[in-house]
Structures are given as structure tokens and as C-alpha cells.
Amino acid sequence: MVSIDVSNAYVDFPIFDAKSRSLKKKVLGKVGGKIGTESRVPIIEALHDITISLREGDRVGLVGHNGAGKSTLLRLLSGIYEPTRGSARIKGRVAPVFDLGVGMDPEISGYENIMIRGLYLGMTRKQMEQRVDDIAEFTELGDYLSMPLRTYSTGMRVRLALGVVTSIDPEILLLDEGIGAVDAAFLNKARDRLVDLVHRSGLLVFASHQDDLLLELCTSAVWMDEGRMKLRGSLREVLTAYKGKDPFENISAEVAERIAAGHPVAVKGGE
Ligand SMILES: Nc1ncnc2c1ncn2[C@@H]1O[C@H](COP(=O)(O)OP(=O)(O)OP(=O)(O)O)[C@@H](O)[C@H]1O
């Protein structure tokens, strides 16, 4: 059974090379975790007392300002970061998709990169061999797939990475913003694959600043603020509190239709 249980977890980053004399005692900025200057080494408190339980079928969006702790929370949920205090128990195969470029080698071919990246995301070699043709077709990269990755443009790399990412079968899928930052035309083509990917994942946590993607992929949400969980609830409720207005007010007919096809409950109003 897939599950994540985080209890009273903190993540601190001690900064050994900070110019501590120039740090103000109180940080007044709105962005980022709290910087403690009490000890000799300044400490950024990226996550503060996080308690959350996630189960199969949960589709959780993470929202919040820059530096609020979304990416750090995803890394905690994936087991990449251990909590400084508290606990995090993760059961299930995790596919962390934080940076589309991670796990790509510029010196080997597109085909080889498809295999390597798939293995990195928890697939077996056999599974990847069965999917490589489908991925190749989706990317439309043709003969370039036999060329080293360093010969690709940025957009071509994104096509390759998105092709692989959307072909995997994760139990726990942790997605960071980056995936929404790709070229709009290609994202449209990738959108159906992305929605399918999310539907066959046991559990999704998705950090994003884009309402339409959140509405399409998630049903509940967490609002992070200065490393704390400020609010947890249905996606509609959390986005309304975070943005100050109902996200469904200005939704385009096209997005509304896609959301309705994906999870009608959320559209009917607040689960
Ligand atoms: N490796 C690190 N070393 C030191 N501080 C870090 C590190 N990673 C994150 N932080 C700090 O932790 C806090 C939370 O950062 P995080 O990247 O989780 O925010 P975020 O909500 O994902 O932001 P964004 O929306 O800008 O991506 C910030 O104050 C940041 O400066």
C-alpha cells in the first residue's frame, strides 16, 4: 500500500559560508524560510513542524510564494532530504520529477538517454525497451535520437525528457513546477500524456504556480508559507484563500471542459 506519513518534521539548512555580520537580526522580507541568526552559523528554517499523511489516490497541489518551502517539502516527501527533527515514512516507489534535465547525459544518444532516465525513475530495463518506440514517436526527434544529446536545442531536450517522464508507471509521483514551464505548444501535445500519467500514479504531489494545471491534475491542496503549512483543504478552497478569489471565476471554457473530464467532483464545488 502506497503511503507517506510525515510527523512534526523540520528541515534546516545551516549556512557555513554566509557573511553573518551583514545579516539583519530580523528578516522582514516576505520571501523564503526564516533565517535564524542566534547561533554562530546562520540557519535557514526551510520547513517548520510539518505533519501530513498521504494515501493512495491523493492528488495534492502545493502552492505558496517563492521560497515558501514547496520544493523542500517535495524533497522531504521523496526521501531525498531527511528531516532535521521529526519523522518521514515513505512506502512505495517514488518518481521524483523536479528537473527535467536530471539524469540526462550530454555525451550519449537520445535513445540511450531514454533508457538511463527511465531506470533513474524506477523502471526496469525490460519495461523501457518495450516503451522506447512509443517515446521516440512522441518526441518527433527522428534521426536526432541517434545523435549525442549535446547536439540538441533546449526544446528538443525537453521533448525527450517529457516523453520519458510521461511513459513511466510511478506509485508516488512528485512533480515540481519545471514541468509546467515547457513550451506551450508542446505542453498541449504532452498534456494528455501528463493527465494519463497522473491518473495511473497511486499518489501525486504537484508544486506549481499555474492554476490551470493544478485544477486539471489535483483535487486537494496545501498552502505553504514561510516553511509552514498554512492551510490544507480542497484545491478550490486553498486556491481561493491563497489568491483571494475563486479560481473557477475566470476559467476558460476549454480548461473547464478538461477539468470536468478529469475529476467532475471538484468542478461541482468544493468536494
Ligand atoms: N540547498 C539549500 N540550502 C540552503 N537553503 C535552501 C536550500 N534549498 C532551499 N533553501 C531555502 O529554503 C527555503 C525554501 O525553499 P524552497 O526551494 O523549498 O521554496 P519554494 O517554495 O520551492 O520556492 P519557489 O516557488 O521559488 O521554487 C528558502 O528560504 C530557500 O532559501
Side-chain angles (χ1 to χ4, degrees):
M1 191 64 186
V2 175
S3 66
I4 299 180
D5 289 289
V6 174
S7 174
N8 304 107
Y10 291 72
V11 173
D12 294 338
F13 295 109
I15 311 298
F16 295 102
D17 54 354
K19 302 271 183 294
S20 56
R21 271 201 302 166
S22 64
L23 284 174
K24 295 185 180 117
K25 278 273 181 259
K26 280 216 170 86
V27 179
L28 299 171
K30 271 195 161 179
V31 169
K34 287 247 181 310
I35 305 178
T37 51
E38 303 302 312
S39 60
R40 273 196 301 150
V41 176
I43 291 174
I44 295 180
E45 194 182 75
L47 292 181
H48 180 99
D49 200 11
I50 302 293
T51 296
I52 188 168
S53 287
L54 301 172
R55 293 288 174 270
E56 178 111 34
D58 282 347
R59 316 226 168 281
V60 186
L62 291 183
V63 300
H65 291 301
N66 292 130
K70 303 180 295 296
S71 306
T72 309
L73 181 56
L74 283 178
R75 281 167 175 75
L76 179 75
L77 298 178
S78 69
I80 293 175
Y81 288 161
E82 288 274 338
T84 315
R85 272 176 289 158
S87 67
R89 275 187 299 133
I90 300 141
K91 285 190 204 146
R93 197 161 28 84
V94 179
V97 183
F98 302 147
D99 179 341
L100 284 174
V102 169
M104 293 284 187
D105 182 339
E107 296 306 325
I108 61 176
S109 72
Y111 278 120
E112 287 165 320
N113 268 295
I114 290 176
M115 296 301 294
I116 300 273
R117 173 85 172 153
L119 298 180
Y120 165 82
L121 290 169
M123 304 293 285
T124 64
R125 178 164 283 278
K126 201 162 168 213
Q127 285 172 322
M128 288 313 291
E129 275 163 4
Q130 284 162 355
R131 290 166 204 215
V132 71
D133 289 343
D134 167 59
I135 297 169
E137 195 189 317
F138 167 74
T139 64
E140 297 171 351
L141 287 169
D143 289 343
Y144 266 99
L145 288 167
S146 306
M147 309 271 277
L149 191 77
R150 67 181 143 76
T151 64
Y152 290 26
S153 71
T154 309
M156 289 160 77
R157 285 168 202 232
V158 170
R159 281 173 179 250
L160 188 73
L162 214 48
V164 184
V165 160
T166 55
S167 76
I168 60 173
D169 299 325
E171 288 180 333
I172 298 175
L173 178 62
L174 303 174
L175 285 181
D176 209 345
E177 182 66 7
I179 197 141
V182 300
D183 158 75
F186 192 69
L187 184 63
N188 263 341
K189 180 177 162 175
R191 196 181 287 275
D192 288 347
R193 280 175 75 104
L194 197 57
V195 170
D196 278 351
L197 166 71
V198 166
H199 283 162
R200 63 175 189 272
S201 315
L203 199 168
L204 168 76
V205 186
F206 179 35
S208 177
H209 294 282
Q210 295 189 52
D211 289 1
D212 61 339
L213 266 184
L214 283 166
L215 289 168
E216 200 169 342
L217 300 180
C218 303
T219 49
S220 69
V222 170
W223 175 4
M224 294 299 295
D225 188 38
E226 294 189 336
R228 293 156 198 257
M229 273 175 49
K230 184 162 178 163
L231 183 65
R232 181 165 187 208
S234 75
L235 180 66
R236 187 172 197 165
E237 183 186 337
V238 171
L239 274 181
T240 304
Y242 173 53
K243 300 261 163 134
K245 62 177 194 311
D246 188 335
F248 284 88
E249 254 171 39
N250 296 319
I251 207 168
S252 73
E254 192 202 338
V255 173
E257 208 170 289
R258 280 204 307 264
I259 298 166
H263 43 78
V265 184
V267 181
K268 280 187 194 136
E271 293 185 294

PDB file of all heavy atoms in Angstrom, residues 194-228:
ATOM      1  N   LEU A 194       0.369  13.611 -19.822  1.00  0.00           N
ATOM      2  CA  LEU A 194       0.604  14.012 -18.435  1.00  0.00           C
ATOM      3  C   LEU A 194      -0.601  13.643 -17.563  1.00  0.00           C
ATOM      4  O   LEU A 194      -0.457  13.116 -16.456  1.00  0.00           O
ATOM      5  CB  LEU A 194       0.848  15.527 -18.392  1.00  0.00           C
ATOM      6  CG  LEU A 194       1.496  16.108 -17.164  1.00  0.00           C
ATOM      7  CD1 LEU A 194       2.842  15.459 -16.899  1.00  0.00           C
ATOM      8  CD2 LEU A 194       1.675  17.615 -17.320  1.00  0.00           C
ATOM      9  N   VAL A 195      -1.792  13.893 -18.087  1.00  0.00           N
ATOM     10  CA  VAL A 195      -3.014  13.559 -17.343  1.00  0.00           C
ATOM     11  C   VAL A 195      -3.103  12.047 -17.136  1.00  0.00           C
ATOM     12  O   VAL A 195      -3.401  11.577 -16.048  1.00  0.00           O
ATOM     13  CB  VAL A 195      -4.268  14.109 -18.079  1.00  0.00           C
ATOM     14  CG1 VAL A 195      -5.545  13.578 -17.453  1.00  0.00           C
ATOM     15  CG2 VAL A 195      -4.257  15.627 -18.059  1.00  0.00           C
ATOM     16  N   ASP A 196      -2.783  11.271 -18.202  1.00  0.00           N
ATOM     17  CA  ASP A 196      -2.776   9.802 -18.074  1.00  0.00           C
ATOM     18  C   ASP A 196      -1.782   9.353 -17.021  1.00  0.00           C
ATOM     19  O   ASP A 196      -2.067   8.471 -16.209  1.00  0.00           O
ATOM     20  CB  ASP A 196      -2.357   9.143 -19.398  1.00  0.00           C
ATOM     21  CG  ASP A 196      -3.522   9.052 -20.344  1.00  0.00           C
ATOM     22  OD1 ASP A 196      -4.653   9.338 -19.907  1.00  0.00           O
ATOM     23  OD2 ASP A 196      -3.281   8.715 -21.521  1.00  0.00           O
ATOM     24  N   LEU A 197      -0.607   9.977 -17.057  1.00  0.00           N
ATOM     25  CA  LEU A 197       0.453   9.629 -16.093  1.00  0.00           C
ATOM     26  C   LEU A 197      -0.051   9.833 -14.667  1.00  0.00           C
ATOM     27  O   LEU A 197       0.101   8.967 -13.803  1.00  0.00           O
ATOM     28  CB  LEU A 197       1.681  10.514 -16.337  1.00  0.00           C
ATOM     29  CG  LEU A 197       2.746  10.531 -15.249  1.00  0.00           C
ATOM     30  CD1 LEU A 197       3.501   9.207 -15.221  1.00  0.00           C
ATOM     31  CD2 LEU A 197       3.739  11.674 -15.454  1.00  0.00           C
ATOM     32  N   VAL A 198      -0.684  10.982 -14.446  1.00  0.00           N
ATOM     33  CA  VAL A 198      -1.185  11.293 -13.102  1.00  0.00           C
ATOM     34  C   VAL A 198      -2.264  10.298 -12.699  1.00  0.00           C
ATOM     35  O   VAL A 198      -2.292   9.819 -11.572  1.00  0.00           O
ATOM     36  CB  VAL A 198      -1.698  12.751 -13.059  1.00  0.00           C
ATOM     37  CG1 VAL A 198      -2.514  13.000 -11.814  1.00  0.00           C
ATOM     38  CG2 VAL A 198      -0.521  13.715 -13.132  1.00  0.00           C
ATOM     39  N   HIS A 199      -3.138   9.931 -13.640  1.00  0.00           N
ATOM     40  CA  HIS A 199      -4.219   9.005 -13.317  1.00  0.00           C
ATOM     41  C   HIS A 199      -3.712   7.609 -12.964  1.00  0.00           C
ATOM     42  O   HIS A 199      -4.309   6.919 -12.162  1.00  0.00           O
ATOM     43  CB  HIS A 199      -5.233   8.941 -14.460  1.00  0.00           C
ATOM     44  CG  HIS A 199      -6.130  10.149 -14.451  1.00  0.00           C
ATOM     45  ND1 HIS A 199      -6.875  10.545 -15.528  1.00  0.00           N
ATOM     46  CD2 HIS A 199      -6.357  11.063 -13.498  1.00  0.00           C
ATOM     47  CE1 HIS A 199      -7.540  11.651 -15.231  1.00  0.00           C
ATOM     48  NE2 HIS A 199      -7.234  11.982 -14.003  1.00  0.00           N
ATOM     49  N   ARG A 200      -2.597   7.194 -13.569  1.00  0.00           N
ATOM     50  CA  ARG A 200      -2.124   5.838 -13.230  1.00  0.00           C
ATOM     51  C   ARG A 200      -1.106   5.855 -12.085  1.00  0.00           C
ATOM     52  O   ARG A 200      -0.642   4.812 -11.664  1.00  0.00           O
ATOM     53  CB  ARG A 200      -1.599   5.098 -14.455  1.00  0.00           C
ATOM     54  CG  ARG A 200      -0.406   5.668 -15.131  1.00  0.00           C
ATOM     55  CD  ARG A 200       0.085   4.769 -16.275  1.00  0.00           C
ATOM     56  NE  ARG A 200       1.365   5.276 -16.724  1.00  0.00           N
ATOM     57  CZ  ARG A 200       1.539   6.203 -17.642  1.00  0.00           C
ATOM     58  NH1 ARG A 200       0.495   6.712 -18.268  1.00  0.00           N
ATOM     59  NH2 ARG A 200       2.743   6.631 -17.964  1.00  0.00           N
ATOM     60  N   SER A 201      -0.768   7.056 -11.571  1.00  0.00           N
ATOM     61  CA  SER A 201       0.094   7.122 -10.387  1.00  0.00           C
ATOM     62  C   SER A 201      -0.779   6.906  -9.158  1.00  0.00           C
ATOM     63  O   SER A 201      -1.912   7.370  -9.111  1.00  0.00           O
ATOM     64  CB  SER A 201       0.752   8.493 -10.254  1.00  0.00           C
ATOM     65  OG  SER A 201       1.240   8.924 -11.474  1.00  0.00           O
ATOM     66  N   GLY A 202      -0.230   6.225  -8.157  1.00  0.00           N
ATOM     67  CA  GLY A 202      -1.007   5.992  -6.950  1.00  0.00           C
ATOM     68  C   GLY A 202      -1.255   7.263  -6.169  1.00  0.00           C
ATOM     69  O   GLY A 202      -2.323   7.476  -5.603  1.00  0.00           O
ATOM     70  N   LEU A 203      -0.261   8.136  -6.167  1.00  0.00           N
ATOM     71  CA  LEU A 203      -0.308   9.306  -5.299  1.00  0.00           C
ATOM     72  C   LEU A 203       0.461  10.437  -5.994  1.00  0.00           C
ATOM     73  O   LEU A 203       1.557  10.205  -6.505  1.00  0.00           O
ATOM     74  CB  LEU A 203       0.401   8.906  -4.004  1.00  0.00           C
ATOM     75  CG  LEU A 203       0.222   9.640  -2.692  1.00  0.00           C
ATOM     76  CD1 LEU A 203       0.834   8.812  -1.587  1.00  0.00           C
ATOM     77  CD2 LEU A 203       0.782  11.015  -2.704  1.00  0.00           C
ATOM     78  N   LEU A 204      -0.123  11.612  -6.034  1.00  0.00           N
ATOM     79  CA  LEU A 204       0.549  12.747  -6.701  1.00  0.00           C
ATOM     80  C   LEU A 204       0.694  13.927  -5.750  1.00  0.00           C
ATOM     81  O   LEU A 204      -0.252  14.299  -5.047  1.00  0.00           O
ATOM     82  CB  LEU A 204      -0.280  13.216  -7.906  1.00  0.00           C
ATOM     83  CG  LEU A 204       0.147  14.567  -8.510  1.00  0.00           C
ATOM     84  CD1 LEU A 204       1.424  14.426  -9.349  1.00  0.00           C
ATOM     85  CD2 LEU A 204      -0.960  15.184  -9.360  1.00  0.00           C
ATOM     86  N   VAL A 205       1.887  14.538  -5.725  1.00  0.00           N
ATOM     87  CA  VAL A 205       2.051  15.857  -5.108  1.00  0.00           C
ATOM     88  C   VAL A 205       2.703  16.744  -6.166  1.00  0.00           C
ATOM     89  O   VAL A 205       3.728  16.376  -6.751  1.00  0.00           O
ATOM     90  CB  VAL A 205       2.923  15.818  -3.835  1.00  0.00           C
ATOM     91  CG1 VAL A 205       2.917  17.188  -3.167  1.00  0.00           C
ATOM     92  CG2 VAL A 205       2.412  14.762  -2.863  1.00  0.00           C
ATOM     93  N   PHE A 206       2.098  17.894  -6.442  1.00  0.00           N
ATOM     94  CA  PHE A 206       2.497  18.732  -7.564  1.00  0.00           C
ATOM     95  C   PHE A 206       2.643  20.180  -7.119  1.00  0.00           C
ATOM     96  O   PHE A 206       1.665  20.824  -6.726  1.00  0.00           O
ATOM     97  CB  PHE A 206       1.427  18.606  -8.663  1.00  0.00           C
ATOM     98  CG  PHE A 206       1.681  19.446  -9.885  1.00  0.00           C
ATOM     99  CD1 PHE A 206       2.959  19.673 -10.365  1.00  0.00           C
ATOM    100  CD2 PHE A 206       0.619  19.998 -10.586  1.00  0.00           C
ATOM    101  CE1 PHE A 206       3.180  20.439 -11.502  1.00  0.00           C
ATOM    102  CE2 PHE A 206       0.821  20.763 -11.730  1.00  0.00           C
ATOM    103  CZ  PHE A 206       2.110  20.978 -12.184  1.00  0.00           C
ATOM    104  N   ALA A 207       3.877  20.696  -7.155  1.00  0.00           N
ATOM    105  CA  ALA A 207       4.116  22.098  -6.788  1.00  0.00           C
ATOM    106  C   ALA A 207       4.057  22.951  -8.041  1.00  0.00           C
ATOM    107  O   ALA A 207       4.777  22.671  -9.005  1.00  0.00           O
ATOM    108  CB  ALA A 207       5.483  22.242  -6.142  1.00  0.00           C
ATOM    109  N   SER A 208       3.168  23.942  -8.048  1.00  0.00           N
ATOM    110  CA  SER A 208       3.047  24.746  -9.264  1.00  0.00           C
ATOM    111  C   SER A 208       2.486  26.123  -8.969  1.00  0.00           C
ATOM    112  O   SER A 208       1.793  26.339  -7.989  1.00  0.00           O
ATOM    113  CB  SER A 208       2.135  24.030 -10.259  1.00  0.00           C
ATOM    114  OG  SER A 208       1.961  24.818 -11.410  1.00  0.00           O
ATOM    115  N   HIS A 209       2.845  27.085  -9.842  1.00  0.00           N
ATOM    116  CA  HIS A 209       2.263  28.414  -9.761  1.00  0.00           C
ATOM    117  C   HIS A 209       1.166  28.578 -10.817  1.00  0.00           C
ATOM    118  O   HIS A 209       0.621  29.655 -10.988  1.00  0.00           O
ATOM    119  CB  HIS A 209       3.343  29.479  -9.988  1.00  0.00           C
ATOM    120  CG  HIS A 209       4.393  29.518  -8.906  1.00  0.00           C
ATOM    121  ND1 HIS A 209       4.184  30.110  -7.689  1.00  0.00           N
ATOM    122  CD2 HIS A 209       5.649  29.029  -8.868  1.00  0.00           C
ATOM    123  CE1 HIS A 209       5.276  29.991  -6.941  1.00  0.00           C
ATOM    124  NE2 HIS A 209       6.180  29.323  -7.641  1.00  0.00           N
ATOM    125  N   GLN A 210       0.884  27.501 -11.560  1.00  0.00           N
ATOM    126  CA  GLN A 210      -0.093  27.617 -12.655  1.00  0.00           C
ATOM    127  C   GLN A 210      -1.433  26.999 -12.278  1.00  0.00           C
ATOM    128  O   GLN A 210      -1.561  25.784 -12.201  1.00  0.00           O
ATOM    129  CB  GLN A 210       0.440  26.900 -13.893  1.00  0.00           C
ATOM    130  CG  GLN A 210       1.689  27.533 -14.451  1.00  0.00           C
ATOM    131  CD  GLN A 210       2.049  26.926 -15.782  1.00  0.00           C
ATOM    132  OE1 GLN A 210       1.221  26.857 -16.681  1.00  0.00           O
ATOM    133  NE2 GLN A 210       3.269  26.462 -15.901  1.00  0.00           N
ATOM    134  N   ASP A 211      -2.422  27.873 -12.114  1.00  0.00           N
ATOM    135  CA  ASP A 211      -3.743  27.408 -11.668  1.00  0.00           C
ATOM    136  C   ASP A 211      -4.349  26.350 -12.583  1.00  0.00           C
ATOM    137  O   ASP A 211      -4.908  25.367 -12.108  1.00  0.00           O
ATOM    138  CB  ASP A 211      -4.726  28.586 -11.600  1.00  0.00           C
ATOM    139  CG  ASP A 211      -4.399  29.497 -10.445  1.00  0.00           C
ATOM    140  OD1 ASP A 211      -3.412  29.210  -9.744  1.00  0.00           O
ATOM    141  OD2 ASP A 211      -5.118  30.491 -10.257  1.00  0.00           O
ATOM    142  N   ASP A 212      -4.243  26.568 -13.902  1.00  0.00           N
ATOM    143  CA  ASP A 212      -4.976  25.642 -14.788  1.00  0.00           C
ATOM    144  C   ASP A 212      -4.426  24.223 -14.699  1.00  0.00           C
ATOM    145  O   ASP A 212      -5.183  23.253 -14.694  1.00  0.00           O
ATOM    146  CB  ASP A 212      -5.047  26.163 -16.235  1.00  0.00           C
ATOM    147  CG  ASP A 212      -3.696  26.326 -16.864  1.00  0.00           C
ATOM    148  OD1 ASP A 212      -2.706  26.424 -16.102  1.00  0.00           O
ATOM    149  OD2 ASP A 212      -3.615  26.349 -18.099  1.00  0.00           O
ATOM    150  N   LEU A 213      -3.089  24.104 -14.568  1.00  0.00           N
ATOM    151  CA  LEU A 213      -2.516  22.759 -14.429  1.00  0.00           C
ATOM    152  C   LEU A 213      -2.908  22.135 -13.096  1.00  0.00           C
ATOM    153  O   LEU A 213      -3.234  20.952 -13.019  1.00  0.00           O
ATOM    154  CB  LEU A 213      -0.991  22.821 -14.525  1.00  0.00           C
ATOM    155  CG  LEU A 213      -0.374  22.593 -15.893  1.00  0.00           C
ATOM    156  CD1 LEU A 213       1.143  22.592 -15.784  1.00  0.00           C
ATOM    157  CD2 LEU A 213      -0.847  21.276 -16.502  1.00  0.00           C
ATOM    158  N   LEU A 214      -2.896  22.954 -12.048  1.00  0.00           N
ATOM    159  CA  LEU A 214      -3.298  22.451 -10.730  1.00  0.00           C
ATOM    160  C   LEU A 214      -4.746  21.971 -10.765  1.00  0.00           C
ATOM    161  O   LEU A 214      -5.080  20.910 -10.259  1.00  0.00           O
ATOM    162  CB  LEU A 214      -3.156  23.552  -9.672  1.00  0.00           C
ATOM    163  CG  LEU A 214      -1.732  23.846  -9.188  1.00  0.00           C
ATOM    164  CD1 LEU A 214      -1.675  25.164  -8.429  1.00  0.00           C
ATOM    165  CD2 LEU A 214      -1.231  22.708  -8.302  1.00  0.00           C
ATOM    166  N   LEU A 215      -5.605  22.779 -11.395  1.00  0.00           N
ATOM    167  CA  LEU A 215      -7.027  22.428 -11.453  1.00  0.00           C
ATOM    168  C   LEU A 215      -7.240  21.131 -12.219  1.00  0.00           C
ATOM    169  O   LEU A 215      -8.117  20.340 -11.910  1.00  0.00           O
ATOM    170  CB  LEU A 215      -7.829  23.560 -12.110  1.00  0.00           C
ATOM    171  CG  LEU A 215      -7.967  24.830 -11.258  1.00  0.00           C
ATOM    172  CD1 LEU A 215      -8.496  25.984 -12.089  1.00  0.00           C
ATOM    173  CD2 LEU A 215      -8.875  24.586 -10.060  1.00  0.00           C
ATOM    174  N   GLU A 216      -6.392  20.956 -13.219  1.00  0.00           N
ATOM    175  CA  GLU A 216      -6.569  19.765 -14.040  1.00  0.00           C
ATOM    176  C   GLU A 216      -6.044  18.497 -13.367  1.00  0.00           C
ATOM    177  O   GLU A 216      -6.615  17.424 -13.520  1.00  0.00           O
ATOM    178  CB  GLU A 216      -5.845  19.964 -15.373  1.00  0.00           C
ATOM    179  CG  GLU A 216      -6.351  19.045 -16.437  1.00  0.00           C
ATOM    180  CD  GLU A 216      -5.831  19.430 -17.807  1.00  0.00           C
ATOM    181  OE1 GLU A 216      -5.366  20.567 -17.980  1.00  0.00           O
ATOM    182  OE2 GLU A 216      -5.894  18.584 -18.686  1.00  0.00           O
ATOM    183  N   LEU A 217      -4.962  18.659 -12.589  1.00  0.00           N
ATOM    184  CA  LEU A 217      -4.298  17.459 -12.068  1.00  0.00           C
ATOM    185  C   LEU A 217      -4.609  17.146 -10.605  1.00  0.00           C
ATOM    186  O   LEU A 217      -4.466  16.012 -10.177  1.00  0.00           O
ATOM    187  CB  LEU A 217      -2.776  17.590 -12.237  1.00  0.00           C
ATOM    188  CG  LEU A 217      -2.264  17.763 -13.670  1.00  0.00           C
ATOM    189  CD1 LEU A 217      -0.742  17.873 -13.684  1.00  0.00           C
ATOM    190  CD2 LEU A 217      -2.698  16.604 -14.554  1.00  0.00           C
ATOM    191  N   CYS A 218      -5.009  18.163  -9.825  1.00  0.00           N
ATOM    192  CA  CYS A 218      -5.130  17.952  -8.377  1.00  0.00           C
ATOM    193  C   CYS A 218      -6.564  18.118  -7.886  1.00  0.00           C
ATOM    194  O   CYS A 218      -7.377  18.792  -8.516  1.00  0.00           O
ATOM    195  CB  CYS A 218      -4.253  18.951  -7.623  1.00  0.00           C
ATOM    196  SG  CYS A 218      -2.541  18.861  -8.119  1.00  0.00           S
ATOM    197  N   THR A 219      -6.857  17.518  -6.732  1.00  0.00           N
ATOM    198  CA  THR A 219      -8.176  17.703  -6.116  1.00  0.00           C
ATOM    199  C   THR A 219      -8.063  18.420  -4.771  1.00  0.00           C
ATOM    200  O   THR A 219      -8.944  19.164  -4.381  1.00  0.00           O
ATOM    201  CB  THR A 219      -8.890  16.348  -5.903  1.00  0.00           C
ATOM    202  OG1 THR A 219      -7.976  15.469  -5.259  1.00  0.00           O
ATOM    203  CG2 THR A 219      -9.335  15.740  -7.206  1.00  0.00           C
ATOM    204  N   SER A 220      -6.964  18.200  -4.051  1.00  0.00           N
ATOM    205  CA  SER A 220      -6.779  18.917  -2.791  1.00  0.00           C
ATOM    206  C   SER A 220      -5.476  19.708  -2.871  1.00  0.00           C
ATOM    207  O   SER A 220      -4.734  19.591  -3.852  1.00  0.00           O
ATOM    208  CB  SER A 220      -6.753  17.951  -1.612  1.00  0.00           C
ATOM    209  OG  SER A 220      -5.591  17.170  -1.663  1.00  0.00           O
ATOM    210  N   ALA A 221      -5.219  20.544  -1.840  1.00  0.00           N
ATOM    211  CA  ALA A 221      -4.012  21.371  -1.903  1.00  0.00           C
ATOM    212  C   ALA A 221      -3.507  21.732  -0.524  1.00  0.00           C
ATOM    213  O   ALA A 221      -4.234  21.648   0.469  1.00  0.00           O
ATOM    214  CB  ALA A 221      -4.288  22.646  -2.698  1.00  0.00           C
ATOM    215  N   VAL A 222      -2.234  22.122  -0.507  1.00  0.00           N
ATOM    216  CA  VAL A 222      -1.600  22.641   0.708  1.00  0.00           C
ATOM    217  C   VAL A 222      -1.007  24.001   0.357  1.00  0.00           C
ATOM    218  O   VAL A 222      -0.335  24.137  -0.666  1.00  0.00           O
ATOM    219  CB  VAL A 222      -0.459  21.694   1.177  1.00  0.00           C
ATOM    220  CG1 VAL A 222       0.356  22.338   2.289  1.00  0.00           C
ATOM    221  CG2 VAL A 222      -1.026  20.357   1.643  1.00  0.00           C
ATOM    222  N   TRP A 223      -1.257  24.998   1.203  1.00  0.00           N
ATOM    223  CA  TRP A 223      -0.665  26.328   1.032  1.00  0.00           C
ATOM    224  C   TRP A 223       0.515  26.423   1.974  1.00  0.00           C
ATOM    225  O   TRP A 223       0.356  26.344   3.190  1.00  0.00           O
ATOM    226  CB  TRP A 223      -1.731  27.381   1.363  1.00  0.00           C
ATOM    227  CG  TRP A 223      -1.250  28.808   1.350  1.00  0.00           C
ATOM    228  CD1 TRP A 223      -0.004  29.278   1.013  1.00  0.00           C
ATOM    229  CD2 TRP A 223      -2.022  29.957   1.702  1.00  0.00           C
ATOM    230  NE1 TRP A 223       0.046  30.636   1.127  1.00  0.00           N
ATOM    231  CE2 TRP A 223      -1.174  31.081   1.546  1.00  0.00           C
ATOM    232  CE3 TRP A 223      -3.340  30.144   2.129  1.00  0.00           C
ATOM    233  CZ2 TRP A 223      -1.616  32.375   1.813  1.00  0.00           C
ATOM    234  CZ3 TRP A 223      -3.765  31.426   2.397  1.00  0.00           C
ATOM    235  CH2 TRP A 223      -2.918  32.525   2.225  1.00  0.00           C
ATOM    236  N   MET A 224       1.724  26.549   1.392  1.00  0.00           N
ATOM    237  CA  MET A 224       2.937  26.690   2.194  1.00  0.00           C
ATOM    238  C   MET A 224       3.268  28.170   2.354  1.00  0.00           C
ATOM    239  O   MET A 224       3.152  28.945   1.407  1.00  0.00           O
ATOM    240  CB  MET A 224       4.119  25.987   1.494  1.00  0.00           C
ATOM    241  CG  MET A 224       4.015  24.483   1.384  1.00  0.00           C
ATOM    242  SD  MET A 224       3.924  23.667   2.980  1.00  0.00           S
ATOM    243  CE  MET A 224       5.539  24.064   3.655  1.00  0.00           C
ATOM    244  N   ASP A 225       3.685  28.551   3.559  1.00  0.00           N
ATOM    245  CA  ASP A 225       4.052  29.943   3.816  1.00  0.00           C
ATOM    246  C   ASP A 225       5.183  29.954   4.851  1.00  0.00           C
ATOM    247  O   ASP A 225       5.008  29.418   5.952  1.00  0.00           O
ATOM    248  CB  ASP A 225       2.821  30.695   4.354  1.00  0.00           C
ATOM    249  CG  ASP A 225       3.072  32.173   4.466  1.00  0.00           C
ATOM    250  OD1 ASP A 225       3.747  32.737   3.580  1.00  0.00           O
ATOM    251  OD2 ASP A 225       2.602  32.774   5.453  1.00  0.00           O
ATOM    252  N   GLU A 226       6.310  30.506   4.467  1.00  0.00           N
ATOM    253  CA  GLU A 226       7.493  30.564   5.348  1.00  0.00           C
ATOM    254  C   GLU A 226       7.795  29.223   6.011  1.00  0.00           C
ATOM    255  O   GLU A 226       8.017  29.141   7.215  1.00  0.00           O
ATOM    256  CB  GLU A 226       7.303  31.650   6.412  1.00  0.00           C
ATOM    257  CG  GLU A 226       7.265  33.038   5.807  1.00  0.00           C
ATOM    258  CD  GLU A 226       7.287  34.135   6.851  1.00  0.00           C
ATOM    259  OE1 GLU A 226       6.879  33.866   7.989  1.00  0.00           O
ATOM    260  OE2 GLU A 226       7.702  35.241   6.515  1.00  0.00           O
ATOM    261  N   GLY A 227       7.753  28.161   5.214  1.00  0.00           N
ATOM    262  CA  GLY A 227       8.130  26.841   5.714  1.00  0.00           C
ATOM    263  C   GLY A 227       7.038  26.129   6.503  1.00  0.00           C
ATOM    264  O   GLY A 227       7.248  25.013   6.978  1.00  0.00           O
ATOM    265  N   ARG A 228       5.872  26.784   6.659  1.00  0.00           N
ATOM    266  CA  ARG A 228       4.785  26.157   7.430  1.00  0.00           C
ATOM    267  C   ARG A 228       3.623  25.804   6.515  1.00  0.00           C
ATOM    268  O   ARG A 228       3.424  26.460   5.491  1.00  0.00           O
ATOM    269  CB  ARG A 228       4.248  27.127   8.486  1.00  0.00           C
ATOM    270  CG  ARG A 228       5.249  27.418   9.554  1.00  0.00           C
ATOM    271  CD  ARG A 228       4.933  28.759  10.214  1.00  0.00           C
ATOM    272  NE  ARG A 228       6.094  29.242  10.921  1.00  0.00           N
ATOM    273  CZ  ARG A 228       6.253  29.193  12.240  1.00  0.00           C
ATOM    274  NH1 ARG A 228       5.302  28.723  13.004  1.00  0.00           N
ATOM    275  NH2 ARG A 228       7.360  29.621  12.793  1.00  0.00           N
TER     276      ARG A 228
END
